């Protein structure tokens, strides 16, 4: 009986404080792991095109400038999905949006198999990207909310590793599949994996406690108590009354105002600039490296090996960032990583023609750029409140992807003009330097977010 009385006096703030101050339970670890599996799928679905591109270009007779649009198709979809679909998670919930986005990915991957031309290929890649973009930022928020304060930056950095892991898996699968069965085989594999992920998420992915407490959807108390029981926390007898105006219940206007008003506005702009320029450089390298090296060397396996090496470096980068984040501030690690990445691009451009050295530098390049992405994923949730967290992260990723769409396209035109490929890497060191400067400004001032950095 005493426990019941104590339960009735605990408010959302006290419960969320318990979640964030206690050691992570098995349920929390499983939830983060499920999110990791989902982002591995995202990396696989995007990585497919980079490895299939050389054969698609040959079979469809696509020029380098048009191939740039094909490679950017999913990036454009990801940008639109992050900006316009992710905010729906703050309104309708993290779980339903994730399921809807997975269904969209299944549809896009399946339709890609039917593409008769570059135009249709671009259209279906945009559709796939919509699902990926709408899901990634949403899951980023979910991981942040289910992680303890002590392990949040580390958990998100490990979560971020899922993307290069997925792209690396795509590379390893592409090596035997594409030469033997053609590029369509990769999209068949991607469709099957997306269906399996949808089924797994339906049965295993929980709703966010922050969302349930903040929005109070139908059955919120029962859903909260189910989650608390799985986390070995005492359930509630009732949900304390909160004042939520009708406007906040039915629109995302207030969440957008949150991220675009002082003191958060300056930090939001820094996130947008820093992340956008980083992912522009990242997607240039990850979409074009296999094709560039294949065209320069005449050996498709060499381009494939370089792509795999860069993605393996990306996996290591996320885990290195995660390990360092256990001792150092994520914001300090972020700007240092970005300045180092700019140096790696300069070196890569200078040693491009020395293939063994270029492969090693490409690996380091993957370590640093993906480590930087992990850093932005880790820092962004600490800037926004629970009410606007998915929106804030979604807009950061969406704006970044929208800018990054131009990178493969611009590179396509540069290469079509006859420019030396190594020059492009030198050019992209500049946006990385600016990205580092933007990340440096995140050290000055914090918002009123409830999550600790």
């Amino acid at each position: 009986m005493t426990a019941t009385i104590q339960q009735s006096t605990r408010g959302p703030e006290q419960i969320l404080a318990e979640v964030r101050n206690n050691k992570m339970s098995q349920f929390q670890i499983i939830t983060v792991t499920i999110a990791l599996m989902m982002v591995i799928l995202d990396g696989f679905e995007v990585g497919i095109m980079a490895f299939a591109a050389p054969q698609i270009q040959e079979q469809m007779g696509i020029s380098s400038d048009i191939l740039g649009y094909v490679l950017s198709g999913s990036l454009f979809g990801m940008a639109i999905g992050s900006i316009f679909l992710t905010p729906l998670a703050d309104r309708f919930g993290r779980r339903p949006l994730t399921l809807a986005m997975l269904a969209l990915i299944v549809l896009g991957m399946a339709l890609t198999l039917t593409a008769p031309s570059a135009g249709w290929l671009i259209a279906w890649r945009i559709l796939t990207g919509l699902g990926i973009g709408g899901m990634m930022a949403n899951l980023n928020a979910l991981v942040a909310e289910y992680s303890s304060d002590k392990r949040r930056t580390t958990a998100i950095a490990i979560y971020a590793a899922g993307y290069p892991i997925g792209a690396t898996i795509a590379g390893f699968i592409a090596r035997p599949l594409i030469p033997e069965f053609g590029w369509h085989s990769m999209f068949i594999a991607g469709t099957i994996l997306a269906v399996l992920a949808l089924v797994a998420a339906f049965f295993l992915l929980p709703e966010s406690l922050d969302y349930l407490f903040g929005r109070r959807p139908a059955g919120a108390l029962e859903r909260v108590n189910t989650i608390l029981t799985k986390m070995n926390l005492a359930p509630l007898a009732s949900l304390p009354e909160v004042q939520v105006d009708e406007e906040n219940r039915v629109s995302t206007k207030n969440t957008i105002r949150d991220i675009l008003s002082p003191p958060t506005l300056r930090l939001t702009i820094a996130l947008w600039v820093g992340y956008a320029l980083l992912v522009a450089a990242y997607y240039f390298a990850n979409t074009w490296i296999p094709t560039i090296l294949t065209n320069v060397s005449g050996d498709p396996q060499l381009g494939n090996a370089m792509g795999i090496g860069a993605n393996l470096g990306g996996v290591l980068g996320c885990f290195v960032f995660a390990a360092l984040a256990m001792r150092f501030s994520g914001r300090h690690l972020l700007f240092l990583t970005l300045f180092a990445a700019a140096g790696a691009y300069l070196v890569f451009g200078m040693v491009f023609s020395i293939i063994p050295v270029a492969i090693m530098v490409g690996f380091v390049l993957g370590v640093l750029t993906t480590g930087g992405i992990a850093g932005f994923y880790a820092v962004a949730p600490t800037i926004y409140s629970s009410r606007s967290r998915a929106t804030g992260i979604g807009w950061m990723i969406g704006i970044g992807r929208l800018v990054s769409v131009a990178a493969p396209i611009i590179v396509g035109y540069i290469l079509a003009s006859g420019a030396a490929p190594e020059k492009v890497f030198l050019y992209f060191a500049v946006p990385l330097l600016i990205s580092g400067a933007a990340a440096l400004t995140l050290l000055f001032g914090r918002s009123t977010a409830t999550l600790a950095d």
Side-chain angles (χ1 to χ4, degrees), residues 107-151:
L107 181 62
M109 292 297 292
L111 289 174
T112 301
L113 291 165
T114 69
S117 64
W120 283 107
L121 198 59
I122 293 170
W124 301 139
R125 292 302 289 165
I126 290 174
L127 182 64
T128 305
L130 282 172
I132 294 173
M135 185 170 71
M136 282 189 68
N138 177 43
L139 289 176
N140 193 167
L142 189 70
V143 170
E145 291 164 352
Y146 270 107
S147 300
S148 65
D149 285 342
K150 186 176 181 180
R151 294 287 180 255

Side-chain angles (χ1 to χ4, degrees), residues 4 7-11 15 213 216 221 225 235-241:
T4 303
Q7 292 164 20
S8 66
T9 62
R10 293 158 68 220
I15 294 172
F213 282 134
R216 305 294 175 88
L221 176 61
N225 283 337
L236 292 172
S238 64
L239 288 176
E241 291 295 327

Side-chain angles (χ1 to χ4, degrees), residues 308-393:
I308 291 174
N311 283 307
L312 283 174
V315 176
L316 178 61
C318 289
F319 284 108
V320 168
F321 193 96
L324 291 174
M326 296 176 71
R327 295 193 58 186
F328 304 103
S329 162
R331 301 191 192 202
H332 286 85
L333 291 172
L334 177 57
F335 80 84
L336 293 173
T337 300
L338 293 170
F339 286 139
Y345 269 70
L346 287 171
V347 173
F348 190 84
M350 291 186 286
V351 302
F352 181 79
S353 60
I354 310 172
I355 299 301
V357 179
I359 290 176
M360 288 188 291
V361 176
F363 179 83
V364 174
L365 186 149
V367 170
L368 294 170
T369 53
T370 313
I373 291 174
F376 276 109
Y377 285 178
V379 169
T382 70
I383 288 174
Y384 301 111
S385 66
S386 62
R387 186 175 75 169
S388 59
R389 188 165 295 130
T391 300
I393 298 171

Side-chain angles (χ1 to χ4, degrees), residues 7-155:
Q7 292 164 20
S8 66
T9 62
R10 293 158 68 220
E13 294 80 8
Q14 289 76 24
I15 294 172
L16 294 176
E18 289 181 52
V19 172
R20 288 160 185 158
N21 293 326
N22 292 347
K23 182 180 179 181
M24 288 181 66
S25 66
Q26 183 180 14
F27 175 77
Q28 289 168 272
I29 294 172
I30 291 174
T31 298
V32 171
T33 302
I34 294 169
L36 174 64
M37 296 299 104
M38 298 299 105
V39 82
I40 286 175
L41 172 70
D42 289 348
F44 183 88
E45 308 293 33
V46 175
I48 283 175
M49 184 54 70
F51 296 105
Q55 190 178 93
I56 290 174
Q57 183 179 28
E58 179 184 356
Q59 291 185 2
M60 291 189 174
I62 301 173
S63 61
S64 293
D65 51 348
I66 299 301
L67 184 62
Y69 286 98
V70 174
L71 291 170
S72 285
S74 61
L75 302 183
F76 180 75
M78 289 164 73
I80 300 304
S82 295
I83 295 172
F84 294 105
L85 298 181
T86 298
L88 297 176
D90 287 325
R91 182 176 172 186
F92 298 111
R94 314 280 190 245
R95 173 182 160 83
L97 184 71
T98 298
L99 296 177
M101 295 303 97
L102 281 168
L104 205 57
I105 293 171
V106 171
L107 181 62
M109 292 297 292
L111 289 174
T112 301
L113 291 165
T114 69
S117 64
W120 283 107
L121 198 59
I122 293 170
W124 301 139
R125 292 302 289 165
I126 290 174
L127 182 64
T128 305
L130 282 172
I132 294 173
M135 185 170 71
M136 282 189 68
N138 177 43
L139 289 176
N140 193 167
L142 189 70
V143 170
E145 291 164 352
Y146 270 107
S147 300
S148 65
D149 285 342
K150 186 176 181 180
R151 294 287 180 255
R152 180 167 299 106
T153 301
T154 298

Side-chain angles (χ1 to χ4, degrees), residues 284-328:
F284 145 63
N286 280 267
T287 56
W288 271 107
I289 278 181
T291 301
I292 287 175
L293 283 186
T294 296
N295 292 340
V296 169
S297 66
D299 182 1
Q301 294 301 323
L302 180 59
N304 186 282
M306 175 62 89
I308 291 174
N311 283 307
L312 283 174
V315 176
L316 178 61
C318 289
F319 284 108
V320 168
F321 193 96
L324 291 174
M326 296 176 71
R327 295 193 58 186
F328 304 103

Side-chain angles (χ1 to χ4, degrees), residues 157-238:
I158 293 173
Y159 160 82
Y163 192 91
I165 288 173
T168 302
I169 293 172
F172 279 115
I173 293 178
R175 289 177 71 88
L177 277 189
I178 292 179
E180 185 71 23
F181 302 106
W183 64 269
H184 289 86
S185 62
M186 292 295 293
F187 289 90
I188 293 174
T191 302
I192 293 172
L193 289 175
V195 170
L196 293 176
L198 177 58
V199 173
F202 181 82
F203 287 105
L204 299 174
L205 193 71
E207 184 54 88
S208 160
L209 278 174
D210 296 68
Y211 169 80
L212 293 173
F213 282 134
R215 293 287 180 170
R216 305 294 175 88
L221 176 61
E222 292 76 11
R223 296 169 73 182
V224 165
N225 283 337
T226 298
I227 293 171
L228 292 179
T229 300
K230 292 179 179 179
M231 295 172 64
N232 301 316
L233 296 175
L236 292 172
S238 64

